[in-house]
Amino acid sequence: GGDATLDFIGLDGFLSDEYASLGVHFLPGSTVAVSPLPSTDNWGISTTFSFGYQVTIDFETLQYGVGLKPLSLFSAALYLQGSLVYQSPPLTDASNKFRGFVSSQAFDRVVFKSLNGGPGGIDNVYIGNPIPGPGVVVALAAFGALGASRRRRR
């Protein structure tokens, strides 16, 4: 999947396919409502009682990284085809600082669950894949050089 920021600016009400063009879907009858929240840009999503105070996001393409700016205490769970890939410990800093997860296992769903015992809030959600580390870049460069040297010999 590509990199994107879901900032919720200008949206109103429950979410479903507002970000479908990015390959991002909130579950039908969505778990979140867009509302003015005390955040950096005053737009965010809040969880509701009827959906267990959680935000569930499905991705059309496999992801390896996701982040958010939490406005409440939460945990995150990453899934691949319905099977749990990763469950975070409770994350207790709700100061609207970036929190991210990078996984070596691909995932197609993330569930952010409020741990407040009530509604929770999220300012932005960031999706994207991590940049390869130096070892991968060196391997790719060596592979490219090998291909180039073979083309020159012909």
Side-chain angles (χ1 to χ4, degrees):
D3 298 338
T5 299
L6 313 181
D7 60 15
F8 313 108
I9 292 174
L11 299 178
D12 186 26
F14 288 95
L15 296 175
S16 61
D17 289 328
E18 288 78 1
Y19 290 100
S21 65
L22 300 174
V24 177
H25 305 273
F26 291 83
L27 284 188
S30 192
T31 59
V32 295
V34 176
S35 60
L37 294 172
S39 62
T40 56
D41 59 16
N42 291 319
W43 286 93
I45 52 177
S46 60
T47 60
T48 63
F49 172 76
S50 57
F51 294 100
Y53 300 122
Q54 67 184 26
V55 176
T56 302
I57 304 171
D58 286 340
F59 303 101
E60 290 177 6
T61 59
L62 297 179
Q63 300 296 313
Y64 290 89
V66 65
L68 73 158
K69 286 187 170 179
L71 301 174
S72 57
L73 310 180
F74 76 99
S75 67
L78 308 178
Y79 293 87
L80 178 62
Q81 297 176 346
S83 295
L84 183 65
V85 171
Y86 173 76
Q87 174 66 58
S88 78
L91 300 170
T92 57
D93 183 359
S95 58
N96 198 24
K97 294 178 184 172
F98 175 82
R99 298 288 178 253
F101 303 92
V102 175
S103 175
S104 60
Q105 170 72 46
F107 59 92
D108 59 8
R109 173 177 283 179
V110 62
V111 177
F112 298 119
K113 184 165 180 65
S114 172
L115 301 177
N116 290 343
I122 296 173
D123 183 10
N124 292 337
V125 173
Y126 305 92
I127 57 173
N129 293 310
I131 297 170
V136 174
V137 173
V138 169
L140 290 174
F143 181 73
L146 177 63
S149 70
R150 284 187 179 173
R151 283 191 297 272
R152 277 183 277 209
R153 284 188 224 165
R154 291 182 181 184

